[in-house]
Amino acid sequence: MKSKVVLIPVSTYENSELYPAVKKGLELLGGLGYFIRKEERILLKPNLVRDAEVDRAVITHPAVMEAVARCLAEEGFTRLSCGDSCGVGSFTKIMKNSGMAGKMEPYGVITKEFAEAEPVQSEFGGRKRTFMLAKDVLEADALISISKMKTHALEHITGAVKNQYGCICGFHKAKGHTQYPNAESFARMLIHLNQYIRPRLYIMDGITAME
């Protein structure tokens, strides 16, 4: 099955340009109702790898998260949460320092630090794997991946697919880098992981990419 992709050029993180662009992109994809239902528990998954100034383009920009949350709220989605397993530091601290926490509050988005992990068994492409996924991910009905366009030391580019690696809890992420030490093995694992999690929708913040 082919995936439909929409590219919207945006020159600024100012809400006056960003929000209409996100809304237009969702409409071109068929609207939020095409991907999710209002009674479902929706988990927003940004890239919050570590505490860094927003302008350094290390994390998903809070303005992008706000635009997505606003679109969801306006369409009547109320069971919203936001979470990640950060590579370095505290999710709660990164949310606060980046200003993302303040932008989520008006739309009733509950923040969840991926602290508890549960093992899941998955088989894909003739290969069995065990993933230590965050309990909050497993309890959500649908995940919307809101990634950041960046370069990556191992995979060269990190984006929508790599973002789901943050659904693995804490030190299990570091352990994964030893289990899958080269680009090919790590990429195959990421495909397998995405096939298990099956995000309903991918949105990438590529206005300013990190190099």
Side-chain angles (χ1 to χ4, degrees):
M1 184 177 67
K2 293 183 179 180
S3 297
K4 189 174 182 179
V5 178
V6 172
L7 301 176
I8 304 290
V10 182
S11 62
T12 176
Y13 285 105
E14 290 297 324
N15 185 60
S16 58
E17 184 176 339
L18 179 56
Y19 164 70
V22 172
K23 188 173 182 179
K24 179 182 178 182
L26 293 171
E27 290 172 350
L28 289 171
L29 288 170
L32 284 166
Y34 180 80
F35 301 98
I36 52 179
R37 300 188 303 274
K38 292 178 181 177
E39 66 271 17
E40 291 184 302
R41 293 165 294 183
I42 312 300
L43 176 64
L44 307 181
K45 167 62 179 73
N47 183 331
L48 296 180
V49 63
R50 61 184 174 87
D51 198 1
E53 295 178 4
V54 173
D55 291 343
R56 295 185 63 188
V58 174
I59 65 173
T60 304
H61 200 288
V64 175
M65 293 293 294
E66 180 182 24
V68 175
R70 178 179 171 183
C71 288
L72 286 160
E74 289 178 345
E75 291 290 327
F77 292 91
T78 58
R79 306 184 73 183
L80 306 174
S81 62
C82 169
D84 193 12
S85 177
C86 306
V88 179
S90 162
F91 166 77
T92 303
K93 184 178 179 180
I94 298 172
M95 285 286 291
K96 180 181 179 181
N97 290 350
S98 66
M100 194 176 293
K103 292 187 179 297
M104 294 294 96
E105 289 176 6
Y107 305 102
V109 180
I110 300 171
T111 57
K112 295 187 174 183
E113 183 157 2
F114 295 169
E116 295 184 54
E118 291 188 7
V120 297
Q121 305 293 325
S122 176
E123 184 172 355
F124 175 73
R127 175 74 182 271
K128 293 182 180 180
R129 286 186 173 92
T130 299
F131 294 114
M132 296 299 293
L133 292 186
K135 187 177 179 181
D136 293 309
V137 173
L138 298 173
E139 290 178 346
D141 297 313
L143 186 143
I144 297 178
S145 178
I146 310 174
S147 61
K148 182 70 177 178
M149 180 69 175
K150 301 190 289 186
T151 55
H152 189 260
L154 183 63
E155 296 296 343
H156 305 301
I157 292 175
T158 176
V161 174
K162 171 68 166 55
N163 193 40
Q164 277 56 260
Y165 196 57
C167 293
I168 296 174
C169 268
F171 74 90
H172 297 289
K173 291 172 63 179
K175 185 179 178 182
H177 282 290
T178 61
Q179 289 178 300
Y180 310 102
N182 58 61
E184 182 175 349
S185 63
F186 195 78
R188 290 183 181 277
M189 177 276 295
L190 289 176
I191 294 171
H192 195 153
L193 179 63
N194 275 262
Q195 288 290 335
Y196 184 87
I197 297 174
R198 293 191 176 276
R200 299 285 183 85
L201 175 65
Y202 298 87
I203 299 173
M204 181 183 288
D205 166 16
I207 299 172
T208 299
M210 187 194 81
E211 182 178 2

